[in-house]
Amino acid sequence: MSFRTTAASIAAATDYVEDVSPGSGALPPRAWYASSDAGSLSLNGSWSFRLSPTADGADDSFAEPGYDAGDWAEVTVPGHWVLQGDGAFGAPIYTNHLYPFPVDPPRVPTENPTGDHLHVFDLPSDWPNLSDGGAVLRFDGVESCARVWLNGTEIGEFKGSRLAHEFAVGQLLKPSGNVLAVRVHQWSAGSYLEDQDQWWLPGIFRDVTLLHRPAGSVLDFFVHASYDHTAGTGTLRVESDVDGRVTVPELDIDVRTGEPVTVAVEPWTAETPRLYDGVLVTAGERVPLRIGFRTVELADGLIKVNGKAILFKGVNRHEWHPEKGRTLDLETMRADVLLMKRHNLNAVRTSHYPPHPAFLDLCDEYGLWVIDECDLETHGFTEQNWRDNPVDDDRWTPALLDRASRMVERDKNHPSVVIWSLGNEAGTGRGLTAMAEWIHGRDSSRLVHYEGDWDCRDTDMYSRMYADHAETERIGQSLDGGTQKRRQLPFILCEYGHAMGNGPGGIADYQRIFEAHDRIQGGFIWEWIDHGVKDERFGYAYGGDFGEELHDGNFVCDGLIFPDRTPSPGLVEYKKVIEPVRITGDGTDGTVRITNAYDFADLSALTFVWSYDVDGTAVETGTLAVPALAPGESADVKLPEPPADARGGAESLWTVRALLADESAWGERGHLVAWGQFPASARPLPTVAASAAPVLADGVVTLGPGTFDARTGALTSIGGREVQGLRLDVWRAPTDNDFGAAWQPDIRYGVLWRKLGLHRMQHRLDSVESGADALTVRTRVAPAAAEVGLNTVYRWTSDGDKLQLTVTVDPEGDWTLPLPRLGIRLGLSAADRVTWFGGGPGEGYPDTDAASIVGRWESTVDDLQTPYLRPQENGARTDVRWAEIGGLRVDGDPEFWFTARRWTSEQLDAAEHLTDLTPGDTVWVNLDHGQQGIGSQSCGPGALPQYLLRVQPAEFSVVFSAIDD
């Protein structure tokens, strides 16, 4: 007897996995709502789990009642199985855009991890009689393909990982012992539509809920709540598949569904998120409504809400938790929204899929404009010039339309959603056009976005990613070309300011362009959170740490907050750049100009306080009387007279802050919203009279408080405090933005610096000269195998108590590259606490220092470090006048960047994870005359020309003095 097994026969039971259709058995999509008076039962919790290596690795018998799963493992639902089981269930995979399987649509590998899930549940004792209507089983998110049985009956299968799917199951339920079986495949035809820049994480990762649907219950409904800004009225009309009534007690509204009613209302905006509580009542159900009246339109070539053009100060947000992946609880989502509001963000693009619907409830409540993006990306097809791209293949159009409709129908009642996005980086094609036509036809109250449509055939705005500053300026001036239609449309940067590692730089320069041109309506920083996975080996893991053969490293760590939701310096910078109140002045004419940069809110919710700071310390404070300016208005407000007893000969600054006058929904009373700072009197520069003479004895030169090696001229101590290794330093551990994107090779400075050898500069001693009032050390600093160099002179002078170093740098040769940094580095022992007068409290670089406020700050050396997941240059404090550390005080002429860490830049450069860094006994201090800007070239433009550290003659000075610790 012989037989032949074919791939076709094996696949027969699983052919749905590679079917391009969206699935079968699911109910039509409808509006999502969190609660009603109808019964519901959460099926979240511990489920039995079995993992098979292939889609056909086990038969379907597990779905039958009575199946013995006693030897199965357990997983938590919602959750991703690869993040559970201590590695027993596989591991995450990170790719940016490459598919981690052969591109052969719609086929997927035979090696297709498949998770069988079992959950046995009883209906609550108070569950309505099973004969009273039906029940719906809802899945809010499953990656990437699921097949479902209830009590042994197959009810359907579906794709569309971040979309809700419901199944009618009332006829299958019993009072107890219900068996819910779900088979989930990691790979499916749907995976080709879900090639977003993120971890591939299979599982039932959002809620599973059983909903009672009594006779006459609500099916689908659409809340239309427009606002007429000229009349100050809102018009409410609620479409419902089941007849009923809508009541809004606060507005004295009680109407039948389908009937419009117009009343005076306060409008909903992201700045003033006014919601009215209402109820939709049908014969079988009462559904609470939260209604926001607002009108979105494309008018006069601009995106307008309630008749006013808006400026997006936004962020792209992936859903992420370092231990639970894309499984987020309500409080984590609330924490995200509160962080956004407290950092002046007003908009979110839900990159690149609809979020958990509870997140949109929070955006409604607290106030954020939302671009709701469809669960669609086919980025990996760029590798074959978009050949076989599903969005231009009619066979896939039903799946695309299913995804579009499931997004729109689920989220259509959220006032925060002002724009629908077709997806991300999916090329162009007929399927996208079909999606846009369907959305425009279904919901004319919102606009449609898609970045890939540069000709704007299907979209209501021109959208781009990472256009550099110069091109953005040309677009603002409508000098960028393109179709006539495009030139008449508003422009947004749906992604810019790539926040990978140290950065993003240059966002203040972008904001100035945005505010200079009406056509440019803002942008969205990429992105919200670093997708580090909590890992005992590394602290947080990124691409490649799980043995992936194909991965994109730490490109997944590109957020404004760290995985534990601690704000990064980038978020603090962004808060300052987009602050909704502009506070400007020069401090000499006795006035400060206050400008309201909100789109809708006046300044009545804010109080303004001033301080007069002398050498970084406030010597007098008070309240500033500022009128409740309307949006766009400015006022010149008189400052008080400077304090009579302010110390003469010291640097003085005015600081004016805008604070919340009272507690708000998202911030405490006194929360800092905006600030401005400007000089009142200039800083006196440090001076040292060269009155002491170098003294030679026993191979040591003494000059004031300093001692030097007589042969090399190396400084060894100051006032008895040991100093080691003081010399010119030009190297920094390259940032992710220094390394740059591979498609921009000519300005990948991190790569070019290393190629030139700036990380291994050699120091040649030319002479040590002891004069009547100075010790002069002449050197040449240069990379091996190169003809370029930096002739460097260290000139030491003293007045007997202080020691002044003047460094002169004269370049030699043809330098074609800028430098990473230019300054001196030295090592100190027994150093821990740092006090400085300069920019703070956090780090700052030439194009990321908008948030650095000048003051007197204190820190430990360890707390000066910024814990970027891939170690890199970090922690510099900008505009430092003086710093005290390890028993030494350093005064700069001019101001300097100050960095201190317990490892060298070379050790920082060599580390792949924070756990690779071992603190040493020496604290290495950098006093930098210059730093290269940061930019955002890890995906966007590099540092602008004005922030490049050009190689040119330089001279700077620092004054050392010993102090008591």
Side-chain angles (χ1 to χ4, degrees):
M1 181 177 180
S2 64
F3 64 90
R4 181 183 180 192
T5 301
T6 66
S9 63
I10 293 174
T14 59
D15 55 3
Y16 64 92
V17 174
E18 296 181 336
D19 192 335
V20 299
S21 73
S24 62
L27 294 169
R30 65 185 182 120
W32 187 92
Y33 49 95
S35 64
S36 78
D37 64 347
S40 68
L41 176 65
S42 171
L43 300 182
N44 297 344
S46 181
W47 290 42
S48 298
F49 178 74
R50 174 183 65 184
L51 183 64
S52 301
T54 62
D56 62 340
D59 61 32
D60 302 344
S61 61
F62 81 102
E64 297 296 330
Y67 181 87
D68 183 6
D71 60 344
W72 284 26
E74 290 190 350
V75 294
T76 298
V77 171
H80 305 279
W81 71 67
V82 294
L83 296 181
Q84 304 183 58
D86 294 326
F89 306 143
I93 300 170
Y94 169 60
T95 60
N96 168 28
H97 75 280
L98 298 175
Y99 292 104
F101 48 80
V103 181
D104 182 22
R107 304 297 302 278
V108 294
T110 300
E111 294 77 18
N112 187 357
T114 295
D116 289 334
H117 299 69
L118 269 180
H119 187 60
V120 180
F121 64 94
D122 301 332
L123 296 180
S125 59
D126 61 351
W127 190 268
N129 190 301
L130 292 177
S131 63
D132 179 18
V136 165
L137 178 65
R138 184 176 70 217
F139 296 88
D140 281 316
V142 183
E143 183 176 329
S144 73
C145 173
R147 187 179 178 191
V148 186
W149 297 261
L150 181 61
N151 292 329
T153 298
E154 182 174 354
I155 59 175
E157 48 84 14
F158 62 92
K159 309 176 189 74
S161 298
R162 294 109 204 170
L163 299 161
H165 294 81
E166 293 183 331
F167 298 88
V169 296
Q171 73 282 8
L172 300 176
L173 289 171
K174 53 187 182 180
S176 62
N178 293 283
V179 178
L180 176 58
V182 184
R183 173 163 286 172
V184 180
H185 307 281
Q186 174 155 18
W187 310 122
S188 69
S191 301
Y192 285 99
L193 304 180
E194 296 173 2
D195 190 27
Q196 292 97 341
D197 175 11
Q198 60 181 349
W199 296 96
W200 298 88
L201 297 173
I204 306 172
F205 69 95
R206 287 186 186 159
D207 305 295
V208 182
T209 311
L210 184 68
L211 302 171
H212 180 234
R213 308 309 299 143
S217 61
V218 172
L219 295 178
D220 191 21
F221 63 96
F222 196 161
V223 176
H224 300 274
S226 61
Y227 179 71
D228 183 342
H229 67 280
T230 61
T233 57
T235 299
L236 176 66
R237 180 174 59 87
V238 178
E239 297 176 357
S240 175
D241 289 356
V242 176
D243 288 342
R245 298 197 71 83
V246 176
T247 60
V248 186
E250 187 176 356
L251 297 175
D252 198 27
I253 290 176
D254 184 349
V255 297
R256 292 184 59 82
T257 53
E259 292 182 1
V261 57
T262 300
V263 293
V265 298
E266 299 173 43
W268 188 97
T269 75
E271 296 165 8
T272 56
R274 181 66 160 93
L275 293 172
Y276 292 90
D277 290 324
V279 183
L280 169 60
V281 181
T282 65
E285 189 175 14
R286 295 172 59 89
V287 176
L289 305 176
R290 302 212 76 190
I291 302 166
F293 291 88
R294 56 107 185 94
T295 294
V296 183
E297 61 181 338
L298 182 65
D300 305 317
L302 298 173
I303 301 167
K304 292 187 176 182
V305 178
N306 302 337
K308 179 74 180 293
I310 60 176
L311 185 65
F312 292 114
K313 303 171 181 179
V315 68
N316 287 274
R317 175 187 176 268
H318 270 298
E319 293 180 304
W320 186 251
H321 187 282
E323 296 173 90
K324 300 177 182 179
R326 283 187 286 281
T327 297
L328 299 185
D329 57 69
L330 179 62
E331 289 313 305
T332 299
M333 290 185 269
R334 189 186 307 276
D336 279 349
V337 171
L338 291 176
L339 268 178
M340 291 175 187
K341 293 293 291 187
R342 291 167 185 166
H343 286 84
N344 293 331
L345 278 76
N346 71 2
V348 176
R349 176 178 174 229
T350 69
S351 53
H352 296 294
Y353 42 83
H356 191 292
F359 179 77
L360 299 178
D361 284 341
L362 295 169
C363 294
D364 295 342
E365 178 183 352
Y366 293 103
L368 289 167
W369 308 118
V370 174
I371 297 181
D372 197 355
E373 192 148 87
C374 193
D375 189 8
L376 172 62
E377 180 166 338
T378 64
H379 200 172
F381 285 90
T382 57
E383 297 299 305
Q384 52 200 64
N385 198 29
W386 298 107
R387 187 176 65 255
D388 298 326
N389 184 10
V391 305
D392 200 29
D393 184 334
D394 291 339
R395 295 176 300 166
W396 294 81
T397 298
L400 303 183
L401 290 173
D402 180 75
R403 289 173 183 248
S405 64
R406 290 188 181 278
M407 171 183 68
V408 171
E409 302 295 4
R410 192 197 74 168
D411 298 342
K412 60 181 176 281
N413 294 326
H414 290 281
S416 58
V417 176
V418 293
I419 295 171
W420 302 116
S421 178
L422 303 181
N424 182 69
E425 292 177 315
T428 58
R430 292 163 286 177
L432 290 165
T433 298
M435 293 170 69
E437 290 176 348
W438 184 90
I439 293 174
H440 277 121
R442 175 58 175 150
D443 181 19
S444 61
S445 69
R446 295 177 174 92
L447 305 181
V448 172
H449 164 274
Y450 178 63
E451 181 271 338
D453 182 12
W454 285 17
D455 289 336
C456 303
R457 295 170 299 182
D458 303 321
T459 56
D460 297 312
M461 64 206 69
Y462 178 31
S463 176
R464 289 283 302 279
M465 296 178 180
Y466 307 108
D468 63 27
H469 299 76
E471 183 180 7
T472 302
E473 183 88 57
R474 291 195 300 273
I475 292 171
Q477 298 167 340
S478 295
L479 299 176
D480 57 305
T483 64
Q484 181 179 8
K485 178 182 178 181
R486 187 178 90 181
R487 294 196 304 273
Q488 295 172 342
L489 292 178
F491 175 76
I492 64 169
L493 274 171
C494 69
E495 293 180 23
Y496 83 110
H498 197 254
M500 185 175 177
N502 188 334
I507 57 174
D509 304 275
Y510 269 119
Q511 193 67 22
R512 283 189 285 271
I513 297 171
F514 296 169
E515 295 178 5
H517 303 285
D518 290 342
R519 184 191 181 194
I520 301 178
Q521 295 196 249
F524 297 77
I525 294 288
W526 184 268
E527 64 161 308
W528 177 238
I529 188 168
D530 283 345
H531 298 201
V533 177
K534 188 72 173 177
D535 189 286
E536 63 181 13
R537 299 168 299 167
F538 310 118
Y540 294 104
Y542 49 74
D545 288 337
F546 297 100
E548 307 103 296
E549 293 181 355
L550 187 69
H551 66 85
D552 285 289
N554 69 311
F555 201 69
V556 76
C557 300
D558 46 15
L560 291 173
I561 61 175
F562 297 118
D564 64 357
R565 287 180 157 73
T566 299
S568 77
L571 181 57
V572 178
E573 175 81 358
Y574 195 36
K575 175 185 177 180
K576 172 61 179 172
V577 166
I578 61 175
E579 61 189 5
V581 182
R582 301 294 188 217
I583 303 171
T584 57
D586 62 13
T588 60
D589 64 358
T591 63
V592 59
R593 167 156 285 210
I594 309 294
T595 300
N596 182 350
Y598 284 111
D599 290 327
F600 296 94
D602 64 24
L603 300 188
S604 59
L606 303 179
T607 186
F608 291 79
V609 298
W610 60 266
S611 66
Y612 190 83
D613 310 326
V614 178
D615 280 348
T617 300
V619 298
E620 193 168 327
T621 63
T623 301
L624 201 64
V626 176
L629 299 170
E633 287 188 343
S634 297
D636 293 320
V637 180
K638 186 171 179 55
L639 290 166
E641 291 296 322
D645 58 349
R647 298 194 303 273
E651 181 178 6
S652 300
L653 296 165
W654 288 103
T655 305
V656 177
R657 295 174 173 88
L659 313 175
L660 283 183
D662 296 296
E663 182 178 359
S664 76
W666 51 264
E668 296 179 351
R669 181 176 183 269
H671 168 80
L672 177 64
V673 174
W675 59 270
Q677 192 173 58
F678 26 92
S681 62
R683 173 197 175 212
L685 295 176
T687 59
V688 174
S691 57
V695 177
L696 173 64
D698 299 325
V700 174
V701 174
T702 301
L703 178 60
T707 59
F708 301 81
D709 183 293
R711 184 181 64 84
T712 64
L715 177 70
T716 57
S717 70
I718 300 174
R721 278 74 169 175
E722 180 184 353
V723 178
Q724 57 178 296
L726 187 150
R727 63 184 188 180
L728 189 77
D729 191 15
V730 299
W731 180 248
R732 74 183 187 196
T735 68
D736 292 313
N737 288 304
D738 287 338
F739 278 133
W743 56 85
Q744 297 174 302
D746 293 342
I747 53 171
R748 296 183 67 198
Y749 288 125
V751 176
L752 297 174
W753 289 333
R754 198 183 302 279
K755 182 178 179 181
L756 180 59
L758 298 188
H759 61 305
R760 48 175 171 76
M761 298 288 275
Q762 297 185 14
H763 298 250
R764 186 185 74 203
L765 176 63
D766 288 339
S767 68
V768 178
E769 304 167 5
S770 181
D773 60 357
L775 178 68
T776 303
V777 181
R778 302 184 185 276
T779 68
R780 186 177 188 271
V781 183
E787 293 183 326
V788 296
L790 300 171
N791 293 316
T792 305
V793 177
Y794 308 92
R795 187 173 188 272
W796 297 92
T797 57
S798 176
D799 61 2
D801 295 319
K802 299 177 180 179
L803 184 66
Q804 180 166 356
L805 168 62
T806 300
V807 181
T808 304
V809 180
D810 185 19
E812 182 181 90
D814 184 16
W815 285 88
T816 58
L817 292 178
L819 294 174
R821 68 172 359 124
L822 180 69
I824 58 171
R825 181 173 77 175
L826 63 150
L828 301 175
S829 59
D832 182 38
R833 296 208 64 83
V834 182
T835 302
W836 74 98
F837 174 30
E843 72 182 24
Y845 291 82
D847 55 352
T848 66
D849 64 353
S852 291
I853 187 168
V854 174
R856 186 179 299 216
W857 308 101
E858 292 186 7
S859 175
T860 63
V861 169
D862 292 339
D863 286 344
L864 288 175
Q865 316 310 307
T866 303
Y868 297 115
L869 269 61
R870 187 194 71 78
Q872 56 197 272
E873 167 63 33
N874 73 90
R877 268 55 179 182
T878 186
D879 295 323
V880 175
R881 281 77 164 150
W882 55 259
E884 295 177 349
I885 180 173
L888 292 180
R889 174 174 168 129
V890 185
D891 289 81
D893 179 10
E895 294 80 16
F896 55 91
W897 277 271
F898 174 84
T899 309
R901 53 176 68 103
R902 300 187 188 279
W903 38 75
T904 64
S905 293
E906 291 76 16
Q907 291 168 327
L908 186 63
D909 185 12
E912 295 293 331
H913 297 86
L914 291 170
T915 50
D916 296 333
L917 292 170
T918 302
D921 296 330
T922 300
V923 171
W924 293 97
V925 176
N926 278 90
L927 311 173
D928 290 319
H929 177 62
Q931 275 271 0
Q932 169 90 347
I934 298 296
S936 65
Q937 201 200 342
S938 51
C939 194
L944 288 169
Q946 61 265 36
Y947 304 121
L948 300 180
L949 183 55
R950 305 289 187 184
V951 180
Q952 57 191 2
E955 182 173 287
F956 55 95
S957 176
V958 291
V959 176
F960 297 97
S961 53
I963 58 173
D964 294 331
D965 292 332

